[in-house]
């Protein structure tokens, strides 16, 4: 069983702050009737089953801000501290300390969009936002539907995250932001970021099936009609036509009846 040491009283006056054997690890204990009965040695009140003591890990304001600055959300910090279970008042407390750090993260992300991507031959002329927007337009995507975020690493540098959606897929790209003159610089931290800032990178929007090669052969010219295929004609070159009297008298063209 671990031992806790009382270090103070919460500002609301309803909980006692305790500290464990791990530095920075804090807990809170409700200052209710059962705790007062335990201090008085009142065993009758301690045996009541409907009373319960809830101990939750309570993070200090400095710890809350450190976790938020490193990229955690208010909800994630609340889960770590047990506030998501103990009630909304503790979540409001976390949000109060996290608010200035969230503004700091938002400002860092905004500044990173005005920084210049570092290419093989040095920083680009265009900003990160201009470069990314042009790359997405080339891929047939809408550059106005981008989501930016930033958080500080353990080494003090900023990681900037770009999120966008293509169809039904969610995409992420990460950059390392270094503030400085003329907006500072950003370098790609993953393949997605490298593709977005690479001026020579070109990828089709979707794979295309190979087109079969068709050989077009000209049709043969019509065959020349041979002389022997021509219609039979008379010696004068015209078909023999019987005379009118021959038709009436039934006389053949050769003079025989």
């Amino acid at each position: 069983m671990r031992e806790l040491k009382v270090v103070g009283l919460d500002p609301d006056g309803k909980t006692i702050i305790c500290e464990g054997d791990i530095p920075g690890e804090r807990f809170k204990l409700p200052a209710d009737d059962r705790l007062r009965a335990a201090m008085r040695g009142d065993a009758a009140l301690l045996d009541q089953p409907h009373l319960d003591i809830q101990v939750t890990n309570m993070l200090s304001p400095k710890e809350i801000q450190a976790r938020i600055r490193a990229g955690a959300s208010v909800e994630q910090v609340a889960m770590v501290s047990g506030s998501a279970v103990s009630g909304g008042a503790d979540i409001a407390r976390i949000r109060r300390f996290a608010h200035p750090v969230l503004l700091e993260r938002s400002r860092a992300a905004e500044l990173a969009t005005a920084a210049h991507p570092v290419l093989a031959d040095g920083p680009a002329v265009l900003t990160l936002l201009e470069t990314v927007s042009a790359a997405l337009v080339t891929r047939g995507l809408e550059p106005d539907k981008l989501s930016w975020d930033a958080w500080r690493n353990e080494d003090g540098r900023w990681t900037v995250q770009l999120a966008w959606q293509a169809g039904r897929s969610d995409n992420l790209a990460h950059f390392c932001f270094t503030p400085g003159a003329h907006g500072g610089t950003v370098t790609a931290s993953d393949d997605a970021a490298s593709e977005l800032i690479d001026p020579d990178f070109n990828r089709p929007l979707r794979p295309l099936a190979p087109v079969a090669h068709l050989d077009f052969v000209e049709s043969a010219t019509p065959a020349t009609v041979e002389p022997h295929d021509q219609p039979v004609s008379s010696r004068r070159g015209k078909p023999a036509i019987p005379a009118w009297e021959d038709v009436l008298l039934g006389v053949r063209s050769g003079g025989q009846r």
Side-chain angles (χ1 to χ4, degrees), residues 24-44:
E25 184 181 24
R26 294 190 174 186
F27 303 86
K28 66 178 183 179
L29 187 65
D32 54 11
D33 293 337
R34 188 169 184 178
L35 178 60
R36 298 185 183 92
M39 296 176 62
R40 294 193 305 265
D42 190 349

Side-chain angles (χ1 to χ4, degrees), residues 2 4-5 7 17-27 57-60 63:
R2 299 174 57 183
L4 301 178
K5 179 178 64 175
V7 296
I17 302 175
C18 303
E19 190 176 64
D21 51 358
I22 300 177
E25 184 181 24
R26 294 190 174 186
F27 303 86
N57 186 10
M58 184 176 181
L59 299 176
S60 66
E63 291 171 328

Side-chain angles (χ1 to χ4, degrees), residues 211-235:
V211 179
H213 179 70
L214 300 178
D215 293 328
F216 295 94
V217 180
E218 294 182 359
S219 59
T221 57
T224 304
V225 179
E226 299 295 333
H228 62 270
D229 293 335
Q230 296 180 354
V232 179
S233 61
S234 63
R235 286 192 299 266

Side-chain angles (χ1 to χ4, degrees), residues 9 33 52 65 83 133-134 196 209 220:
L9 187 66
D33 293 337
D52 190 14
Q65 293 185 342
S83 300
S133 298
L196 287 175

